Amino acid sequence: MRDLSGVHPPVATPFGGDGELALDAYDNNLREWLSHPIAGIVVAGSTGEAPLLDRRELWKLVETTVARIGDRTLTVGTGAESTREVIFVTRRVAELGANAVLVRSPSYYLKAMRPDAVRDHFLAVADASPVPVVLYHIPQFVPVHLTPDLVGRLVEHPNIIGIKDSSGDLRNLGQLIEACGRNAQVLVGSGALLYAALEAGAAGGILGVAVIATRSCCQIYDAWREGDHRRAGAMQERVAPLHKSLVAEGGIAAVKAALDRLGLYGGVPRSPLQPADAAKLAKVDAALEAAALGVSA
C-alpha cells in the first residue's frame, strides 16, 4: 500500500487574463511548493477548482506536475457524477503518471445516493482503477456522508487505501480512523486540526492552508513525528487562524489573493466564482500579517 503520511497541498489552478490555464505560472508555483518537505501534491482538489476544469485542462495539469514532482505522490481528483466518467478519467490520469486518485461521492441525484449505491460506485471505481483510490468526504460541498460504517466496509477493498476527511469534526475523524484500522490511512482536510488529527492517529493531511503556509504545515508534521509536541502545538496555533480566515471563510478567492500577496501566482478564480473584493483583500492582508507566515515561512 502506498504510504500517504505527511502533508499534501491541494494546489490552486492558475488562470490567465484570457481565462485559459496559466501553465508557466503553475510550474513556477510547483517549484516553490516542492522546495519544501511535502509528501506529495494533489491536483484538481476543491482548492484547485476541480468542478470548473475540463478534461483537456486536467490532462495538462497532470502532465506538468508529473514532469516536476519526482518520486513524491501525485494524487488527482477524479470525482464526477457518473461512475463511468470517474473510471475513464481515473484511467487516463493514471496513464499520464498519477500515483493515486481522490474520489468524491456523486450527489446530484441525492435521494438515490443510498449507502448501497455509494458503496457500489466506489467499489466499481476501485476495481477499475490502475492506481490506489482515496475516498473524499467533504460534506459542506457534497452532501453524501461517508459514514464510518460504510468506510470500514469500503477499505476492505485492497485498492482503496485512504480517506480525506474534510468534515472538520474531530469526533468523526476519530471514528474514521477506528473504522479504517490497518486497512487504510486517514488524512485530515482541515488545516486547523492537523496536530490534533495526528495525535488521534491520522497519517497526515490534504490541507488547503498548506498551499499558502507550506513550510509551517510541514513543520507541524515534522515536530509531531519527532515527538516535539510543544513545538507542534505552537505552530498549529499560528496556522489555525490562517486556515479559518483564508480557507474556511475566504474560499478560493482568498487563497488565490494570498498567493499573489506572497509572490506566487494566484490570479482570479474561474467563473462563476468571483474574485476577492476590497473587503476580502483587506482580510487576506490582515490574516497574513497576523500569522507572520508565508509559503516560505
Side-chain angles (χ1 to χ4, degrees):
M1 183 172 74
R2 191 172 189 92
D3 185 12
L4 300 173
S5 299
V7 172
H8 304 252
V11 295
T13 302
F15 304 106
D18 59 359
E20 295 297 317
L21 286 180
L23 284 175
D24 288 343
Y26 176 68
D27 191 48
N28 286 334
N29 286 355
L30 276 178
R31 289 173 184 265
E32 171 58 34
W33 290 316
L34 290 166
S35 72
H36 302 286
I38 57 176
I41 291 285
V42 177
V43 168
S46 299
T47 306
E49 298 172 75
L52 310 183
L53 300 173
D54 63 37
R55 288 179 179 180
R56 173 185 59 89
E57 292 171 326
L58 182 58
W59 309 158
K60 288 182 177 180
L61 289 168
V62 173
E63 288 171 339
T64 302
T65 310
V66 166
R68 183 69 60 194
I69 198 169
D71 61 358
R72 286 183 267 194
T73 299
L74 169 56
T75 305
V76 179
T78 60
E81 291 303 306
S82 159
T83 306
R84 180 186 177 94
E85 175 73 2
V86 176
I87 290 172
F88 174 83
V89 175
T90 292
R91 285 174 169 167
R92 181 59 181 146
V93 299
E95 289 174 357
L96 294 174
N99 307 117
V101 290
L102 180 68
V103 185
R104 62 170 174 82
S105 299
S107 63
Y108 185 87
Y109 296 106
L110 184 59
K111 290 184 179 179
M113 290 300 101
R114 300 181 304 273
D116 58 336
V118 175
R119 178 201 64 213
D120 290 351
H121 169 76
F122 280 116
L123 292 179
V125 171
D127 283 342
S129 176
V131 294
V133 174
V134 179
L135 309 175
Y136 190 8
H137 183 227
I138 184 164
Q140 59 268 45
F141 293 157
V142 180
V144 175
H145 288 267
L146 298 181
T147 64
D149 178 66
L150 175 58
V151 170
R153 285 181 281 142
L154 286 172
V155 298
E156 292 176 358
H157 193 293
N159 205 31
I160 298 178
I161 66 165
I163 181 169
K164 176 189 177 183
D165 176 37
S166 291
S167 68
D169 183 343
L170 265 179
R171 182 172 179 272
N172 184 72
L173 183 90
Q175 291 174 337
L176 288 173
I177 291 168
E178 183 177 357
C180 287
R182 295 172 178 250
N183 289 329
Q185 294 175 301
V186 177
L187 299 172
V188 66
S190 169
L193 298 178
L194 177 57
Y195 176 53
L198 293 169
E199 284 285 274
I206 298 176
L207 311 166
V209 75
V211 175
I212 302 161
T214 317
R215 178 173 295 172
S216 298
C217 290
C218 290
Q219 287 175 338
I220 293 170
Y221 177 78
D222 289 341
W224 170 81
R225 186 181 57 182
E226 294 163 7
D228 191 344
H229 298 285
R230 180 176 180 179
R231 180 165 169 260
M235 290 300 299
Q236 181 68 83
E237 288 178 4
R238 298 176 67 193
V239 169
L242 202 63
H243 162 83
K244 181 179 179 181
S245 296
L246 300 186
V247 180
E249 296 177 359
I252 303 298
V255 170
K256 287 193 158 184
L259 289 173
D260 287 331
R261 294 293 203 256
L262 295 167
L264 295 178
Y265 185 99
V268 297
R270 175 164 278 178
S271 179
L273 298 180
Q274 296 292 301
D277 58 17
K280 184 167 284 189
L281 288 174
K283 290 181 179 179
V284 168
D285 290 337
L288 292 175
E289 183 178 359
L293 295 172
V295 173
S296 60

